[in-house]
Each structure stands twice: as C-alpha cells, then as structure tokens.
Amino acid sequence: MEEQPTGQAATLRRTVTDDESRVASRHWWDLDADDYQEEHGAFLGDVDFIWCPEGVREADVHLLGDVRGKRVLELGCGAAAAARWLDGQGADVIAMDLSGGMLRQAQQAADRSGVRVPLVQADALALPFATSSFDTVCTAFGAIPFVADSGELMNEVARVLRPGGTWVFSITHPMRWVFLDEPGKEGLLAVHPYFDRRPYVEQDEDGVPTYVEQHRTLGDRIREVVAAGFVLTDLIEPEWPPGHEQIWGQWSPLRGRLFPGTAIFVCYLP
C-alpha cells in the first residue's frame, strides 16, 4: 500500500465519493471475477457457507440460527455459494451483488451444482426490496468494505429486516489495516495508522479510482451497528485453526497465529 510516483498507476490513501467507490468496485469485480473464482473457488465450494479465510463454516457455528422457512438476503454474494447452502437448509434466499461478473460466476456454479437461487444485481446502499421483507441478512466479506458510507448500508439492512431479524457480517479485522498486505514476515511490521480512516485506493494514470477498500476502527463498526438500531450480541475473532496451511492474500498461518484477521458481527433488530 505504498504511494507510487506521480504519473504512474498509484496506490494511496485518499477520500473518495460513493459514486467513485461504486464505479470502481463494480468494474474491479467484473474484471476479477474469473481469476478470483479460479483462485478461491475450491476453498469456498459451490454449495457451502464459509465466513472467512480461517475456514469458519456456518454449518459448525450456526450464527444465523435455524433458517428453515426464513426469508434470507445474502449481500455481496459473489458466486453465491452461501446462498445455495442456505437454500439447502430450507431458507427462502435471494443472493445480491453489485458485480455482473460475480453473478455470472454464481450462475455457472448453479449450473454445476443444480442449486438455483434468485440472483439480483443491485447497490447495497439502495436495496431494491420492501421494508421489513427479510428475517435474516448476511454477508461474508461482501459490500461493507467497498462503500464509502457503510453507516447508510447498516440503515438499509435495518430497513429491509423485520423486527427481531438477524444481521450477521464478516469483515477484515480492523487491526489488519495497520500492517502491509503481505502473508510473510514482512507483513508483521506495523506501518499504517489505525486511526487513518481514509480508504486504500488504487487509481490509474488519470487519477480515476480502480479499486477502493474502506477502513473503520472496531469502535466505528460498533457505533454504525448501534446507530442503525441493532443490538450487537457477539463479536467473533476467529483463531487460526491448527493444520490450516492455506494462504489467502494477506491471511496466512504465520499472521493468523499472532493476531486476528477476521471480525464477525452478530446482531439483531429489536
């Protein structure tokens, strides 16, 4: 995440608008969808719900509770493996993503598995669903880091949830912002201020953002959840499991055994 000389494609920290984030994220994931699925598809599966690179499975932890007969929305679904798994548990599921490229991967996975759920292309800041239309909303690393106003995303989730509904999401643990995105020893050095909330931005030679990822502190995330009317019931920081040697970007056994890489927020709407 080091800044590059002016005139070259650069990575830096700077503010961006909602529109810049939206355009950059849609374009990035449309272009990266095939490579992402080729690299991570075997780990994620076609019909499985994995919360994080540490390998936490919903089948084991039951963070969503019993979903039989529940209407569920998966935000930032990617290839929608989690939505298809939820369908197999008896849920009435809709899978939503901003990227048409990722939804194309979702369709291909549906063709392979024979498990089909409705796929919707939409913006997480303007959910195309009626108020109080879902019992559960969930996302594993989707949407939240890629919008400039994640507080408004929390409000939108609260709007479409019914009273008593569940909202569970996993994100990169905020303390990871301090370190370089490197899985080896070089990634153990703290170099970035934790309290610098400017997003990480990759931009082209004309200064147009091509990839944007937002950072909030742990306290920021909790305040966003509470401000939207949710009650936070658990905050899970998965430990790196013994025998798990797979590297996923910055997630690695070396780093994972020293500090958390994922934070999972479990909330409900009173």
Side-chain angles (χ1 to χ4, degrees):
M1 292 186 183
E2 297 302 320
E3 295 190 18
Q4 303 296 319
T6 303
Q8 300 180 17
T11 62
L12 65 158
R13 303 292 177 82
R14 72 170 179 85
T15 58
V16 295
T17 66
D18 276 332
D19 283 342
E20 286 178 314
S21 287
R22 184 180 301 107
V23 171
S25 291
R26 181 172 179 175
H27 184 64
W28 173 272
W29 290 109
D30 281 351
L31 290 177
D32 193 58
D34 293 347
D35 290 342
Y36 182 88
Q37 199 63 17
E38 182 177 355
E39 182 176 0
H40 302 298
F43 179 80
L44 294 172
D46 282 341
V47 185
D48 203 355
F49 194 147
I50 300 179
W51 282 106
C52 53
E54 290 86 353
V56 176
R57 280 181 159 81
E58 176 61 15
D60 299 323
V61 295
H62 308 292
L63 300 183
L64 302 181
D66 186 354
V67 297
R68 285 176 296 177
K70 299 290 182 65
R71 187 163 170 78
V72 181
L73 172 64
E74 184 189 7
L75 283 180
C77 66
R84 286 187 293 276
W85 182 87
L86 288 165
D87 177 83
Q89 307 306 304
D92 177 13
V93 192
I94 292 178
M96 193 197 93
D97 204 282
L98 180 66
S99 166
M102 293 306 295
L103 292 177
R104 174 171 45 79
Q105 286 291 336
Q107 184 60 61
Q108 291 175 9
D111 292 341
R112 288 192 300 270
S113 66
V115 181
R116 303 183 185 281
V117 300
L119 303 175
V120 175
Q121 185 174 10
D123 179 3
L125 293 180
L127 298 177
F129 307 110
T131 298
S132 302
S133 54
F134 292 96
D135 301 294
T136 301
V137 180
C138 59
T139 186
F141 282 78
I144 295 169
F146 306 110
V147 299
D149 190 351
S150 48
E152 181 56 30
L153 184 153
M154 301 292 173
N155 289 333
E156 271 291 273
V157 171
R159 180 184 66 80
V160 301
L161 268 176
R162 295 167 180 151
T166 300
W167 167 222
V168 184
F169 62 92
S170 61
I171 57 171
T172 301
H173 197 288
M175 75 170 291
R176 286 291 180 103
W177 196 252
V178 176
F179 303 95
L180 296 175
D181 284 348
E182 299 289 346
K185 291 182 179 179
E186 63 273 27
L188 302 180
L189 180 65
V191 295
H192 299 299
Y194 177 73
F195 298 104
D196 183 356
R197 293 164 173 87
R198 293 175 300 169
Y200 167 78
V201 179
E202 296 179 8
Q203 63 183 35
D204 64 20
E205 292 82 354
D206 297 321
V208 177
T210 57
Y211 178 86
V212 177
E213 187 166 348
Q214 301 283 340
H215 165 63
R216 301 292 182 270
T217 68
L218 204 59
D220 291 338
R221 291 295 182 209
I222 292 172
R223 283 185 286 274
E224 287 179 345
V225 164
V226 172
F230 291 103
V231 174
L232 179 67
T233 60
D234 202 355
L235 174 55
I236 301 165
E237 300 165 294
E239 295 186 43
W240 196 266
H244 180 27
E245 299 301 321
Q246 182 168 341
I247 292 175
W248 179 318
Q250 61 171 297
W251 285 265
S252 67
L254 174 65
R255 285 160 59 100
R257 289 165 187 152
L258 294 174
F259 48 83
T262 297
I264 307 175
F265 293 74
V266 183
C267 321
Y268 77 90
L269 188 68

